[in-house]
Amino acid sequence: MRRGALIGATGLLAPGPAFTAEQSALHPAGVEAAALADLFWVMLAGAVVLWVLLNGAFFYVTQVNRRSFPRRAGEWIIILGVALPAVVLPVLLAYGLTLMADQRAPGAEGGLVAHVTGEQWWWRVAYQTPEGPVISANELRLPVGARTEVKLGARNVIHSFWIPALAGKMDMFPGRETRIALEPTKEGVFRGQCAELCGASHALMAFKVVVMAPDAFKAWLEREAGPAIEPEGEAARRGAAVFFSEGCGACHTVRGTAATGALGPDLTHVGGRLSIGAATLPTTAEAFADWTRHTGDLKPEVAMPAYRHLSDDEAADLATYLLGLK
Ligand code: CUA
């Protein structure tokens, strides 16, 4: 009851995705996030207890038993200012320290390993499998109930990998590997967000995290490893022609085609993702058309140029092609 009221009150002060269950450290859906949420509530309870005791004592000596204060000021100062914090704070500190051992524990032995690299406002994703890496981008899929190790890096500047509902933050550095283990406990879609100011579109550097049943995840990873499907229908075929004649394949890979660029996100299965532009837009034909023609307006200083010269029909065909890359 009190949690709900408090979250509601906080939400009024700062409305936005940070306070929805999709991206909330207070609605944990992972082992590490649950420990951090517990830590928050225990610290809050400790702070409330200390606040009530201090103010109760202050009220007592200034309102209830006023005469005792001048005579026994020294005693009250010791009780209020020294004894109470000296009892409450070490208890909270000890509790916090007991949680530390479990944080940042490695992934499961023989478990799934994924590499995520922070790029200029998007996320390069590669799952490590015995058959080789499975390349993806801007979406992380994880099996529920399993411990996945995520190895983190960055291309140019420091980013920070943060999925509030699953775990704490971990910085991503150029030239150095950090890691975090994610153990989701609930299926669902969550939101990750870069948590380190990394440039003009830092706030637009987000991603979706899809936590799936283990079998569904396995099937998804197999599909993700495969090549792109052939464009179906006239519009999609015209869109594919636009894609190749505009040189999109110089920066993007669509496996199974001549497009093998590695500068931008892999688009082999881009139509099957829940968002485009690193959780900037939904995966719809309108959004694809908008994105290809107004890239820098939608995401300032993004490396991809805007293809403003595309006609409405060309942009729509291109969108149909990309949307079909499930
Ligand atoms: Cu990447 Cu902020």
Side-chain angles (χ1 to χ4, degrees), residues 308-319:
R308 292 182 199 282
H309 58 278
L310 294 181
S311 71
D312 288 350
D313 286 346
E314 286 171 326
D317 289 344
L318 181 57

Side-chain angles (χ1 to χ4, degrees), residues 127 129 131 134-136 139 141 210 212-213 215-229 255 266 268-273 325-326:
Y127 300 87
T129 73
E131 293 78 35
V134 176
I135 308 294
S136 187
E139 189 167 291
R141 298 209 174 210
V210 184
M212 312 169 81
D215 288 349
F217 173 78
K218 205 163 159 264
W220 172 83
L221 190 61
E222 274 168 28
R223 272 202 312 280
E224 191 73 3
I229 57 172
R255 290 196 299 279
D266 186 296
T268 307
H269 300 291
V270 68
R273 292 181 201 144
L325 295 175
K326 303 279 189 204

